[in-house]
């Protein structure tokens, strides 16, 4: 019997002032020459978390040392979980760069999920006013969303991602083999952000996801690689047009105003199992955004139901967790970055595959949707 061919390596380019490539495929972390080619100086800091580092950091470090014997390499490992995406951990990461003696041509290697990517990227944005970051995402969510586009941040107790910077990576290497160790719950969380691209840009991608839901949930390499490459292409396109979210990049926040409110109100408790993680909160948020669109007369109820059914099929939550009050969630939304002087601003849709920004939505209607949700 012949061994199956490995899924093809995908490459997506992000254009703009500082263009970069996203490479997607199994085994990329072992391709040290490729990664080392992105290092301009002789200092590199691997930033990772307590789940990912024991699995992948030694191999990466050894391969990099072999590829670049003169590299001065160190590691900063933070405890896993959203509740660690803090200013305190960000400060520790900067201390690690200081101990390394990192110069302006240093590189931060962000090895992990979105928490690591956001925090490490923000540290790279700030160290000496900006050094390179290479994103090495190991969750589906980070591969399809957070490693691309240059948004970096940490959370405050009062709100998610409130302190951060735009700092595009020098390169992204998404080693899809790392998804084999990802807990099933985290794989599903990533699928929420994949569904988001279909919801906002292209209902034919929703058709594809409906047809491939079982393969994706089973961790099928080819299906996942295709979903990642297609998601990155949607994101690369909008980020190239609008790198600083002055226009339609905001569409990527579909479901996030509701989702961030849920995460903040739960005290970022997703990692402990006492709350929803980011992708799960976005899944609930997208259903609420679709229902708000229906309540405003923008879109039909059938579209909202189609989205809910797909998310449910992908094993994602679609209702607000018990115990969260509509009033408290509304108060959280006022501090969300997507609110502006005119009040609450939502990403809604006219139909599946066609999202738009809507400002000045009345509180009463939002409360009504939250109360029903
Ligand atoms: P995460 O980084 O917390 O990772 C989820 C869990 O999986 C963690 O416990 C982690 O240790 C573990 N893990 C990661 N890779 C693993 C692997 N290969 N094998 C085993 N375990 C692994 O969460 P996430 O869902 O990747 O990212 C969520 C974060 O991303 C949030 O903070 C969110 O705000 C941010 N985000 C940022 C952007 C952006 O544009 N910057 C976009 C979307 C989300
Ligand atoms: N995840 C939203 C963005 O990158 O703009």
């Amino acid at each position: 019997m012949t061994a199956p061919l490995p899924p093809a390596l995908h490459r997506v380019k992000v254009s703009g002032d500082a263009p970069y490539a996203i490479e997607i495929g199994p085994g990329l972390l072992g391709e040290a020459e490729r990664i080392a080619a992105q290092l301009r100086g002789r200092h590199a800091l691997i930033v990772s978390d307590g789940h990912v580092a024991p699995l992948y950091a030694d191999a990466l470090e050894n391969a990099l040392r072999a590829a670049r014997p003169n590299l001065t390499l160190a590691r900063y490992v933070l405890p896993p979980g959203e509740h660690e995406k803090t200013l305190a951990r960000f400060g520790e990461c900067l201390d690690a760069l200081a101990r390394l003696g990192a110069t302006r041509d240093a590189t931060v290697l962000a090895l992990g999920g979105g928490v690591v990517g956001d925090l490490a990227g923000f540290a790279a944005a700030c160290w000496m006013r900006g050094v390179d970051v290479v994103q090495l995402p190991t969750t589906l969510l980070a591969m399809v969303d957070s490693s691309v586009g240059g948004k970096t941040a940490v959370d405050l107790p009062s709100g998610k991602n409130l302190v951060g910077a735009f700092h595009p990576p020098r390169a992204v290497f998404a080693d899809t083999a790392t998804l084999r160790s990802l807990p099933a719950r985290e794989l599903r969380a990533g699928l929420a952000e994949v569904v988001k691209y279909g919801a906002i840009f292209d209902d034919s991608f929703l058709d594809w996801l409906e047809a491939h839901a079982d393969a994706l949930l089973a961790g099928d390499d080819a299906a996942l690689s295709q979903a990642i490459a297609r998601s990155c292409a949607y994101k690369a396109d909008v980020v190239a047009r609008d790198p600083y979210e002055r226009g339609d990049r905001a569409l990527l926040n579909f479901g996030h105003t509701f989702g961030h409110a849920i995460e903040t109100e739960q005290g970022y408790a997703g990692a402990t199992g006492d709350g929803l993680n980011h992708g799960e909160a976005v899944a609930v948020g997208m259903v609420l955004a679709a229902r708000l669109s229906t309540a405003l007369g923008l879109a039909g109820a059938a579209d909202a139901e189609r989205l809910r059914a797909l998310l449910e099929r992908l094993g994602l939550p679609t209702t607000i967790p018990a115990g969260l009050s509509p009033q408290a969630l509304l108060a959280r939304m006022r501090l969300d970055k997507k609110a502006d002087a005119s009040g609450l601003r939502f990403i809604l849709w006219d139909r599946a595959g066609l999202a738009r920004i809507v400002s000045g939505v009345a509180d009463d209607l939002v409360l009504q949707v939250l109360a029903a949700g």
Side-chain angles (χ1 to χ4, degrees):
M1 209 174 93
T2 36
L5 283 175
L9 187 84
H10 297 265
R11 196 164 209 268
V12 177
K13 284 195 175 155
V14 185
S15 53
D17 290 345
Y20 56 95
I22 308 161
E23 296 198 352
I24 303 152
L28 280 171
L29 281 182
E31 306 229 3
E33 290 292 352
R34 249 183 155 91
I35 300 174
Q38 300 297 335
L39 309 181
R40 291 186 301 122
R42 63 180 183 85
H43 295 110
L45 180 71
I46 296 175
V47 180
S48 192
D49 77 15
H51 289 150
V52 178
L55 294 171
Y56 303 111
D58 278 349
L60 174 67
E61 203 172 306
N62 293 338
L64 283 173
R65 283 190 202 285
R68 286 279 289 275
N70 64 346
L71 198 62
T72 308
L73 199 56
R75 208 186 278 191
Y76 169 66
V77 178
L78 68 151
E82 181 73 34
H83 53 285
E84 302 291 347
K85 206 175 98 175
T86 60
L87 280 173
R89 297 292 178 202
F90 163 76
E92 289 177 7
C93 189
L94 295 179
D95 287 340
L97 283 161
R99 279 195 303 277
L100 177 67
T103 44
R104 295 196 75 171
D105 52 4
T107 302
V108 173
L109 296 161
L111 175 68
V115 166
V116 164
D118 278 11
L119 186 141
F122 185 37
C126 295
W127 180 253
M128 297 193 171
R129 300 197 184 89
V131 296
D132 290 341
V133 60
V134 171
Q135 293 281 352
L136 305 172
T138 63
T139 64
L140 179 61
L141 188 142
M143 292 180 190
V144 299
D145 195 350
S146 58
S147 64
V148 178
K151 276 190 186 177
T152 71
V154 295
D155 302 330
L156 296 182
S158 52
K160 248 183 89 72
N161 297 333
L162 286 182
V163 188
F166 285 97
H167 190 60
R170 185 168 165 82
V172 182
F173 296 96
D175 182 343
T176 51
T178 62
L179 297 177
R180 292 175 201 150
S181 61
L182 191 67
R185 181 183 171 194
E186 300 299 343
L187 187 82
R188 295 194 296 264
L191 289 173
E193 299 277 17
V194 173
V195 168
K196 179 185 79 179
Y197 293 108
I200 61 180
F201 291 134
D202 182 359
D203 68 339
S204 79
F205 190 39
L206 292 178
D207 295 340
W208 186 90
L209 290 168
E210 284 160 350
H212 293 82
D214 292 339
L216 293 165
L217 283 170
D220 178 82
D221 277 343
L224 283 170
S225 293
Q226 272 195 62
I228 296 164
R230 210 160 153 180
S231 299
C232 287
Y234 291 118
K235 182 151 185 182
D237 189 45
V238 71
V239 159
R241 281 200 306 276
D242 180 20
Y244 300 110
E245 199 173 300
R246 297 195 175 114
D248 63 351
R249 178 169 180 169
L251 299 178
L252 296 175
N253 297 321
F254 185 64
H256 284 58
T257 302
F258 289 110
H260 283 176
I262 293 170
E263 281 187 89
T264 310
E265 192 57 16
Q266 293 194 319
Y268 311 119
T272 56
D274 296 331
L276 300 188
N277 63 30
H278 179 71
E280 292 166 342
V282 167
V284 175
M286 289 194 291
V287 173
L288 295 171
R291 289 197 181 139
L292 183 56
S293 308
T294 306
L296 279 163
L298 299 176
D303 278 332
E305 176 48 27
R306 177 188 181 191
L307 179 66
R308 192 206 59 73
L310 174 58
L311 293 167
E312 188 176 85
R313 183 156 169 225
L314 293 172
L316 286 155
T318 56
T319 55
I320 300 174
L324 298 186
S325 93
Q327 290 289 356
L329 291 171
L330 185 69
R332 293 286 182 191
M333 288 185 216
R334 291 191 205 290
L335 199 58
D336 193 89
K337 295 187 296 311
K338 287 167 284 299
D340 61 20
S342 68
L344 290 179
R345 208 165 68 110
F346 287 91
I347 312 306
L348 301 178
W349 68 10
D350 289 320
R351 59 168 173 76
L354 187 63
R356 64 154 137 151
I357 305 167
V358 180
S359 296
V361 180
D363 284 5
D364 283 359
L365 208 55
V366 178
L367 283 171
Q368 206 177 300
V369 167
L370 286 170

